[in-house]
Amino acid sequence: WPELACKAIDLQPSFAAESPTSAAAGVVEELLASGPIEVGISPSHRCTLELARTVRRSTSQAVVFGPQDVVLVTGGARGVTAEVAVALAEAFKPTLILTGRTPSPVGPEPAWLAGKTDEAAIKQAIAEYLGADAAPRSIAEQYVKVTAQREIRATLARIEAAGARVAYFAVNVSNGRAVADLLHQAKVKYGNIAGVVHGAGVLADRRIEQLTPEQFDSVYSTKVDGIRNLLDLLGGEPLKAVVLFSSITGRLGRAGQLAYAASNEVLNKIAGAEARKRPTARVVAINWGPWDGGMVTPGLRKLFESEGVGLIPLKEGGTFAVQELAAAGRSVEVIAMGPKPRSIGSGSVNVAAATRTQPPGAPPPAPLTGPPPPAADFTLAFERSVDVGTHPILRSHVLDGRAVLPMAIHMEWLAHAALHGNPGLVFHGFNDLRITHGVMVEENSASNLRLMAGRAIKSDLLFTVPVELRGRRRDGREVIHSKAEVVLTSALPKTPACDRPPDVQPYPHPIEDVYRYFLFHGPDMHGIESVEGVTDTAFIGTAYPSPAPAEWFRSPLRSAWVADPLVLDTSFQMMILWSYSQHGAGSLPCFLGRYRQYRRAFPAGPTRVVIRVTRDDGSFARADIDFLDGEGQVVAQIQDYECVIDPGLNQAFRRNQLGPLVRQ
C-alpha cells in the first residue's frame, strides 16, 4: 500500500519515563517527517539502521564446538537446516540432536519401496500397498511421509559419515511440554546442550486481507514460540552459540509474507536481547535470502530469477553458517544472499550485510571535544582514541613489533572528516594525500587523534576540502600524521574508459606463502584473493572486499565504508610483492597524487587490481592503479602512488606481532 504512511519508532525507555512531554513531542515530530521507516529516538539524537556490505571468507577457522559438545538443531533433518547440520558435523564433529515434525524413521525402508525414486513409481507402490480402496489424499499424505523420511535417513547418514554422533527426535518445538521432554532426554543420554541452531519454520503466504489468524499462528508459533521455549528452558545453561534462522523478509519485507516477516523480525530482536544476556556466547540471527532448495519450490525459483534474486547454493549456505559462528565483529543481525542468477554456478554466498554494526553493550563513540585547532581555517570534525583493544584490526597491521594505522584507514577517516561538515555531497576522491608521520600504537597505550577539516572550495562541479589527521608526540608537541585535499561532488561523474591491462608473467608464489614470507599483514588483512601475474612494470591480482566497519573497530564512525580500505590496502600489498620481485626488498606507501572513485561503494565481490609502474629507481617507485569490477568497469583509480623501497624493511616485516612474539 504505497499510499500508507508507515513507521516503526523505537523510543528510548528512560526518555519516555523521565521526560514524557518531550518524548511525546519527539514522536509527533517523527510522525510528521519523511525519512526511514525504522527510527530510534533519544533525548540527544535520532538514528536508523543501515546495511553494511561485507563478505565472509575462510581464514583460520575458530573452534567453536568440540566433539564433547552437544548441539541442538531444530528443523535440522531436512532442507536447508540439514545442510547446516552437516556443515557443523564436518567442522566440529559434535553430537547433533536434530528435531522435526516428521515421525522418526524406524528401521530400514519397506521392501516394496526398494528401487523406486520418481514420484509416479512411489505413489503407485503406495497405492498397491494401501489397497484398492485407498483414497488419493491418503496416497498423497503417505508419499510426503516416505520422501521426508528418506531425506532424514540421508541426513543422518551424512552426519555420521562426517564423524559426528547424531540423533533425531520428532518434536514440535512450539509445544513447551514436548521441548522440556526432549531436553531432559538429551541431557540424560548425551550431556548438556552447548549450542542451539533454530531453523524450524513453516510458510503460509497470503496477502494481509486474506491471511487468517490460524495461518498466522502456525507460522509465528513455530518460529517465535519455538525459540522462546528453548531459551526459557536453557536459561541457566552456559551456551557457546545461539543461531537463529531468520529471513531477509524480516529485515526488508515482501508482499504476501506478513506472517513470515513478522515472525523473523521478532527472531532478530530476540537475538539482540539474548546477545546482551550472553556476552560470551556467539548469538546471531541470519536473515537468509532464498536457498536453492528447502521451501523454495521450482515455481518460487523462477519467480526469484525473474526478480534478479540469486539463490544460495546448499553446501555454500551451510559453510556460511559455520563461518558466521566465528565471525569477527559479532554482528547480531546479518543478511546473507546468494549470487546473481546468471552466476549461480559460482557457488558463493556473495553478500552478507550486518544490520547492527555496534555490538551489544559497546560504549558510544567519544564526544567530539578537544583543544581548539591551531589554524583558524580548520575545525574539528571528530576525535578518536585509538588503541588495539577498540581497534582490533591493528593486530593485523604490525610493523617492527608496533601496530601501525594503515594508510587506507587514514584515507577513510580523512574522507569522513570532509563529509562531516558537508552534508548532501558525495565522496569522489583525494588530491595530494601524504603520510607525514605514521600513527604507531603500542600494545597497552592509546593514540588520541583529531580529524580536522577546512572550508569547502567549489571549482566547477567539484568541491575540495583540506583535511588533516593530527595527534601529539610523547612530549606534548602537536604532529600532523597525514594531510590531503578531499574531493566531493553533488553527483558522481560518468565512469571513464579503462585501458587494456598489460601483459604479465605468472607469479611464482602461492598466496599462503605470500603472507607467510613476504607480507607483514595478519589474517584480518589477508586481502589478496589471487595473483594473475607480474612484470618489471606491472602487477595484476584480485582483492577481497572489506568486512563491515564493526568487524575492524569498536564503535565505528559509519556502518558502511566511504571507500574500501581492504581493497586499497591490498593494492599497496601488491606493490610490496612487486618490489620484492624486482629488488628483493619490501616497500611502504608515502604519497598518493590523485584518487578518484566513481561509485558510492566498491563491489560486494572481489575487485581486480591492475598496477602499472611508471617510475622505478630501486629505492623509490611510482605507479598508477585501476580498480575494476567483475565486468571490467572502472570502480576507482589512483594516479601517482609513491612508495619507498628499502631492504631494511624486510626484517621489520618479520616482526609482525605485538609483544615478544616474532614470526621466524
Side-chain angles (χ1 to χ4, degrees), residues 66-420:
Q68 76 283 358
D69 289 322
V70 180
V71 181
L72 174 63
V73 185
T74 70
R78 301 174 56 212
V80 299
T81 321
E83 295 299 325
V84 174
V86 172
L88 288 169
E90 293 172 343
F92 308 120
K93 295 178 174 49
T95 295
L96 290 168
I97 307 296
L98 311 186
T99 75
R101 298 191 182 192
T102 302
S104 302
V106 179
E109 194 171 68
W112 50 269
L113 283 171
K116 296 175 175 59
T117 56
D118 63 281
E119 182 176 350
I122 295 173
K123 286 185 174 179
Q124 178 63 33
I126 292 172
E128 293 174 357
Y129 175 76
L130 294 178
D133 296 333
R137 181 174 180 177
S138 299
I139 295 173
E141 291 174 349
Q142 188 67 18
Y143 170 77
V144 170
K145 179 180 177 181
V146 165
T147 53
Q149 290 188 334
R150 279 187 173 182
E151 191 173 352
I152 292 171
R153 286 189 177 94
T155 299
L156 299 180
R158 291 173 64 195
I159 291 173
E160 290 175 342
R165 290 198 305 169
V166 62
Y168 174 79
F169 292 84
V171 173
N172 180 351
V173 291
S174 63
N175 184 322
R177 184 183 294 274
V179 172
D181 290 343
L182 164 69
L183 295 178
H184 175 72
Q185 291 184 61
K187 184 173 183 178
V188 170
K189 294 181 180 179
Y190 305 104
N192 292 331
I193 303 295
V196 173
V197 178
H198 182 49
V202 296
L203 287 176
D205 291 353
R206 299 287 191 281
R207 290 183 60 84
I208 292 174
E209 62 270 28
Q210 300 168 340
L211 189 70
T212 68
E214 293 75 20
Q215 290 166 338
F216 181 92
D217 288 345
S218 69
V219 177
Y220 189 87
S221 63
T222 302
K223 285 277 186 181
V224 178
D225 293 346
I227 190 59
R228 283 179 172 159
N229 287 334
L230 288 167
L231 294 178
D232 287 348
L233 291 165
L234 293 171
E237 299 292 331
L239 300 179
K240 296 182 178 180
V242 177
V243 181
L244 308 184
F245 272 33
S246 184
S247 168
I248 188 174
T249 302
R251 166 53 41 203
L252 303 179
R254 184 176 179 84
Q257 287 199 308
L258 165 68
Y260 203 60
S263 303
N264 285 298
E265 173 61 355
V266 173
L267 283 194
N268 292 336
K269 297 304 178 272
I270 288 176
E274 196 67 18
R276 289 186 287 273
K277 294 176 185 176
R278 299 179 180 274
T280 62
R282 176 63 175 129
V283 182
V284 61
I286 304 178
N287 288 240
W288 294 110
W291 287 57
D292 193 13
M295 295 179 182
V296 178
T297 63
L300 282 175
R301 182 181 293 110
K302 291 181 180 179
L303 175 62
F304 287 129
E305 290 175 353
S306 70
E307 295 176 348
V309 177
L311 303 182
I312 299 172
L314 290 172
K315 183 173 178 59
E316 283 72 17
T319 301
F320 178 93
V322 171
Q323 291 176 349
E324 193 60 41
L325 284 174
R330 303 178 72 83
S331 297
V332 176
E333 296 178 46
V334 171
I335 289 177
M337 295 180 66
K340 293 293 185 181
R342 63 177 179 80
S343 60
I344 195 72
S346 63
S348 63
V349 181
N350 66 357
V351 178
T355 61
R356 166 176 285 171
T357 57
Q358 184 170 321
L368 305 183
T369 60
D377 57 337
F378 275 76
T379 58
L380 180 67
F382 66 94
E383 194 172 39
R384 195 164 184 90
S385 178
V386 177
D387 59 65
V388 175
T390 59
H391 296 68
I393 188 60
L394 292 176
R395 291 190 179 277
S396 288
H397 202 262
V398 176
L399 264 171
D400 205 22
R402 290 187 295 178
V404 179
L405 191 72
M407 183 179 186
I409 299 301
H410 284 255
M411 296 171 68
E412 186 73 18
W413 288 352
L414 290 170
H416 180 80
L419 290 167
H420 180 78

Side-chain angles (χ1 to χ4, degrees), residues 502-509 531-541 574 577-582 611 613:
D503 295 326
V504 291
Q505 301 298 317
Y507 185 71
H509 305 290
V531 174
E532 293 182 32
V534 62
T535 67
D536 57 348
T537 59
F539 194 101
I540 302 177
M574 292 178 182
L577 299 183
W578 172 85
S579 67
Y580 264 117
S581 69
Q582 301 304 308
I611 299 174
V613 179

Side-chain angles (χ1 to χ4, degrees), residues 384-388 391 393-395 397-411 413-414 433-443 445-451 468-474 478-483 520 553 588-589 658:
R384 195 164 184 90
S385 178
V386 177
D387 59 65
V388 175
H391 296 68
I393 188 60
L394 292 176
R395 291 190 179 277
H397 202 262
V398 176
L399 264 171
D400 205 22
R402 290 187 295 178
V404 179
L405 191 72
M407 183 179 186
I409 299 301
H410 284 255
M411 296 171 68
W413 288 352
L414 290 170
L433 171 65
R434 185 174 297 279
I435 304 295
T436 56
H437 190 280
V439 178
M440 299 182 183
V441 182
E442 304 290 347
E443 184 169 19
S445 65
S447 292
N448 295 312
L449 304 179
R450 291 182 296 147
L451 274 295
E468 294 179 353
L469 190 158
R470 296 177 179 171
R472 293 193 181 277
R473 301 176 188 269
R474 291 184 176 179
E478 187 168 56
V479 61
I480 297 176
H481 293 291
S482 58
K483 59 182 180 179
F520 62 90
F553 313 135
L588 287 177
L658 293 173

